[in-house]
Amino acid sequence: MKQLKEFWTPKRESRIVGTVVVLAAGALFLAILSGQPAKALESFFIQPLTTALGWQRMINHATVYILVALGVCAMYQCRQYSLISEGSFMGGACAATFFMLNSNTRTSGYVIVVGILFAVLVGGLIAVPSAVLSARHQVNVTLSSAIVDFFVLEMASFILEQFLSDPSVSTVQSFAIPSRMQLPYLYQPLGIRVSTVLALLFAFVAWLVLYRTRTGYTLRMVGASQQTAGYLGLSSGRVIIFSQLFAGVMAGLGGAVQMMGVSSRYAWAGEFSNVGLIAIMVALFADCNPAWVPVSAVLFSYFTAGGTSLSEQLGFAAEWGGVCQAGLVLAVLLVSYLRKKQRHLAGKKGQGLKAFWQNIIQAPGALAAKWKEGGEDGTV
């Protein structure tokens, strides 16, 4: 019982309740909007879990989400609310695609290794400007990173249309990446590649660094209070730059993995990939704890795979998966707010959501009693 109470923390309760709410609301609205309730619910909720293709999509997307979200965890633990992961992801993906399409004469192993290193380097460099501006000149990191993201979007679109575009397809896409340049499988039926194992390993290492080393303590201390960190002799500027540089590197790695097994072409012409933004939601849902990032990533990739299946089976917009992803984070925030509001009104801690809902249920009776006490004119 004690272990159950330690596990069932208020934050986890909010996430579980939020997930249940989104699943129920998503099923209800999908049944109403699709016109084919049974088929729509099966495609979105059941097929990703019962078909090999569904599991392959979930694992592929979850692998990328884990890698990018780990960098977000480091940034946000340091209270650097940057959006640079989106730009670094797209830059890394574009760099890896450019290198692979221009290395047909090289061996597969060489192309994969150097392509990943090239993507990581580009992803890290993209994160430098906003990191330095934040650390040295106190420029708002959210604003500066958004501007850098837009620059990367336009530059990647220019490279795609000018150097990588395949004229044989109707839309603007790169030439197809040769299959020999994809990361090798460890278990093909479920789509488990080398990158999946590495992502889980990185999650474990990131947790160790953040919570079991001096480096992680320093990063979290700077996030808690830069002024206090300065009194303790910690260089907040270096930590801020490091956290964002690490996020850029991990996002660049995620971009390389995306192009080496998830996507066969680079196809983001003039539009964001949204992978970096989804990774931010993955990290937030995991409370920026690397240990829980894989679980969060699987949940979000489940919605992504469900949206794709829904589009293929019924022609329904695949963006419904994104609606559920965003709704999941919003629901958790709402439940957390209601919990805090209930505690504030009750003047007590530890009441939880149960007492809050009891207050709502009892509210009509309490209002009726006050109305009766107020007299026939209805004043309370």
Side-chain angles (χ1 to χ4, degrees), residues 38-67:
K39 184 65 175 177
L41 294 176
E42 180 186 1
S43 299
F44 188 75
F45 291 104
I46 305 301
Q47 287 191 4
L49 300 174
T50 57
T51 63
L53 180 60
W55 277 101
Q56 289 175 7
R57 287 171 174 167
M58 284 177 56
I59 292 176
N60 283 334
H61 289 297
T63 299
V64 177
Y65 294 162
I66 290 171
L67 293 172

Side-chain angles (χ1 to χ4, degrees), residues 59-343:
I59 292 176
N60 283 334
H61 289 297
T63 299
V64 177
Y65 294 162
I66 290 171
L67 293 172
V68 184
L70 290 176
V72 175
C73 288
M75 276 197 308
Y76 286 17
Q77 287 270 21
C78 194
R79 299 294 176 91
Q80 294 299 301
Y81 300 117
S82 172
L83 305 175
I84 202 62
S85 295
E86 178 66 21
S88 292
F89 171 83
M90 294 189 67
C94 184
T97 303
F98 184 88
F99 179 80
M100 288 187 288
L101 293 180
N102 288 277
S103 303
N104 287 328
T105 59
R106 301 283 188 172
T107 61
S108 300
Y110 173 86
V111 173
I112 291 175
V113 173
V114 178
I116 289 176
L117 293 177
F118 189 35
V120 165
L121 176 63
V122 170
L125 289 176
I126 289 173
V128 170
S130 57
V132 173
L133 288 173
S134 174
R136 304 302 184 194
H137 305 287
Q138 289 74 51
V139 176
N140 185 288
V141 70
T142 304
L143 177 61
S144 62
S145 62
I147 295 173
V148 173
D149 284 349
F150 181 76
F151 172 80
V152 173
L153 170 64
E154 295 302 314
M155 181 60 71
S157 300
F158 168 77
I159 294 173
L160 170 60
E161 296 187 26
Q162 189 70 25
F163 302 107
L164 305 177
S165 180
D166 186 354
S168 65
V169 295
S170 58
T171 58
V172 180
Q173 299 183 41
S174 71
F175 289 94
I177 299 173
S179 58
R180 69 183 185 86
M181 297 180 183
Q182 295 181 354
L183 292 166
Y185 281 106
L186 293 179
Y187 187 66
Q188 189 169 358
L190 292 182
I192 300 177
R193 299 177 184 268
V194 173
S195 55
T196 306
V197 177
L198 289 177
L200 295 175
L201 179 62
F202 285 156
F204 177 69
V205 173
W207 176 80
L208 284 179
V209 171
L210 273 176
Y211 293 100
R212 293 294 186 271
T213 66
R214 180 181 177 83
T215 301
Y217 173 78
T218 302
L219 188 146
R220 289 183 289 114
M221 177 60 70
V222 171
S225 173
Q226 292 187 31
Q227 186 175 12
T228 303
Y231 290 150
L232 295 177
L234 303 176
S235 176
S236 59
R238 292 181 181 180
V239 174
I240 289 172
I241 293 175
F242 168 77
S243 66
Q244 295 185 60
L245 184 62
F246 175 72
V249 166
M250 294 303 295
L253 176 59
V257 171
Q258 177 79 22
M259 305 313 300
M260 293 180 178
V262 182
S263 300
S264 59
R265 299 171 184 264
Y266 187 92
W268 297 296
E271 60 182 12
F272 286 111
S273 68
N274 292 332
V275 173
L277 300 179
I278 294 173
I280 290 176
M281 293 190 290
V282 169
L284 291 176
F285 190 79
D287 199 27
C288 294
N289 186 339
W292 289 98
V293 163
V295 178
S296 178
V298 169
L299 178 59
F300 277 77
S301 65
Y302 168 65
F303 288 129
T304 301
T308 303
S309 176
L310 192 63
S311 176
E312 292 177 347
Q313 297 293 325
L314 278 78
F316 197 83
E319 284 74 15
W320 184 251
V323 171
C324 292
Q325 290 170 338
L328 186 60
V329 178
L330 291 174
V332 171
L333 293 175
L334 177 60
V335 172
S336 299
Y337 169 77
L338 293 176
R339 167 187 286 278
K340 292 179 181 179
K341 190 70 174 177
Q342 183 272 328
R343 286 180 176 178

